[in-house]
Amino acid sequence: MKLNYFTRLFSIVGRWLVTALFCVTAVAFAWQGAFLTNTAAIAAPTSSLIADAGAKVQGKASEDAARTKGFVRDTADKVKRTANKNAAKVDQATDSGSFAERKAKKDAARIQKRANEDSARTQTAIDKTKNAVERTVDGIKDAFGN
């Protein structure tokens, strides 16, 4: 009878030891990241990672600047078209050479001029922002490259 008692006790203690060992091993693997490591990222030098990221940032900045400049040009064209349409409507509604017609044409010309000026200023600001981003990325790449 005592033999069965000790056998059962050893069985229970053995199960607990195996369970504890399994848990400690699982925690050790998770702690070290054995299942989650990316060996390609570990083997790559830091400067090439920064250079790749910098190239992506500069490419994205150039792409976004081109899109934004296109949007600004489209908006300026729409403003000009609207000004011309309004002037044409006034021209159709009034007698030829009237004060309202001359004023509408003068206003349309002023609106077009300001649309061109605003578009040019905005595009210059976009270029300056893009250049600042590229200079910053180059500075970071130079700092980590040395």
Side-chain angles (χ1 to χ4, degrees), residues 9-124:
L9 184 65
F10 284 128
S11 175
I12 292 170
V13 170
R15 264 188 259 135
W16 277 101
L17 284 175
V18 169
T19 303
L21 182 65
F22 179 76
C23 289
V24 168
T25 306
V27 168
F29 276 122
W31 188 277
Q32 295 299 320
F35 297 117
L36 304 173
T37 58
N38 184 355
T39 56
I42 292 172
T46 305
S47 61
S48 69
L49 292 174
I50 292 172
D52 292 342
K56 288 180 184 177
V57 168
Q58 286 177 332
K60 182 70 172 153
S62 295
E63 180 183 325
D64 288 347
R67 279 191 207 151
T68 306
K69 287 170 81 173
F71 173 74
V72 169
R73 284 187 208 108
D74 290 343
T75 304
D77 289 341
K78 288 178 184 178
V79 168
K80 291 177 196 176
R81 274 189 257 132
T82 303
N84 284 335
K85 284 180 186 177
N86 289 341
K89 287 178 184 176
V90 170
D91 184 27
Q92 290 173 356
T94 61
D95 295 331
S96 180
S98 70
F99 172 74
E101 180 183 348
R102 288 191 306 269
K103 176 136 177 54
K105 288 182 180 180
K106 189 175 170 183
D107 288 346
R110 189 178 329 118
I111 289 170
Q112 288 179 2
K113 179 182 173 193
R114 287 191 181 163
N116 286 334
E117 291 170 354
D118 290 346
S119 174
R121 272 196 309 265
T122 305
Q123 289 180 31
T124 302

